[in-house]
Amino acid sequence: MVFPVYLIGYMGAGKTTVGRMLADKLGWHFVDLDEAFHEIHGLSPADYIRTYGIEAFRKKEKYVVEDLAELPIEKVVYATGGGYPCWEDNMECLKELGTSFYLRWHPHHLAQRLALTDLNERPLLHGKNAEEILSVIMPQLMARIPYYEQADYIIDAPASLDSPLDGTEDEQLADILYDLVNSSAKIG
Ligand code: S3P
């Protein structure tokens, strides 16, 4: 496995939460690329998109990922922005830069999880319940899946539609990833 590690997936997949847990377990660095974008450009991704538009954001976001990858540190877990892999050749870039993991969830679960987050930073979803969120995200999610599925590893969230989410899913995902990354890191 080539390091660093990139977590990809739709909004609400837990890239930041799981990534931070995974980095803690591994004793690695953690970088949230949305936060890095904010620090570098002085605006959150949402504010940047509101001010300059999505095209300008994607161009800058691409450079943020590629510039940080120049750092001579391999032991890093990166949480990417949800749309990053679906732009131009970004999935190919990720494959050259490290190992990518797609955190795959059922759309209903993504909508439920998003409904529990602060939606101020997500204007399209603001004020909507899980059912409404689901109908808003479905078309975009469907268009993005072919990109996400190019990841080196697809990790299915440990959740079933038959039972409600119990809040331990992110921790379980971090454990699954830890086992994969740690066993590969030991082999070298
Ligand atoms: C976006 C997701 C956001 C952020 C930006 C655009 C998207 O990241 O990069 O607002 O297009 O899905 P998260 O997936 O971390 O919320």
Side-chain angles (χ1 to χ4, degrees), residues 11 32 34-35 37-38 42-51 57 114 117-127:
M11 289 183 289
D32 180 274
D34 284 340
E35 274 172 27
F37 184 97
H38 195 160
L43 287 175
S44 70
D47 285 340
Y48 197 95
I49 293 166
R50 268 192 286 269
T51 312
F57 169 70
L114 281 166
T117 64
D118 173 11
L119 294 174
N120 284 320
E121 278 295 293
R122 297 180 164 134
L124 288 180
L125 307 181
H126 190 70

Side-chain angles (χ1 to χ4, degrees), residues 8 32 40 47 65 79 85 96 112 115 120 133 136 173:
I8 70 170
D32 180 274
I40 292 167
D47 285 340
V65 175
E96 280 173 27
Q112 283 170 27
N120 284 320
I133 289 173
V136 174
L173 272 172

Side-chain angles (χ1 to χ4, degrees), residues 63-82:
Y63 292 131
V64 169
V65 175
E66 289 171 17
D67 286 352
L68 286 174
E70 301 275 310
L71 295 172
I73 319 171
E74 283 190 341
K75 294 186 169 179
V76 188
V77 177
Y78 288 104
T80 63

Side-chain angles (χ1 to χ4, degrees), residues 107-108 111-112 115 125 128-138:
H108 283 90
Q112 283 170 27
L125 307 181
K128 298 197 161 52
N129 64 29
E131 208 176 310
E132 293 161 338
I133 289 173
L134 182 63
S135 59
V136 174
I137 68 174
M138 264 319 246

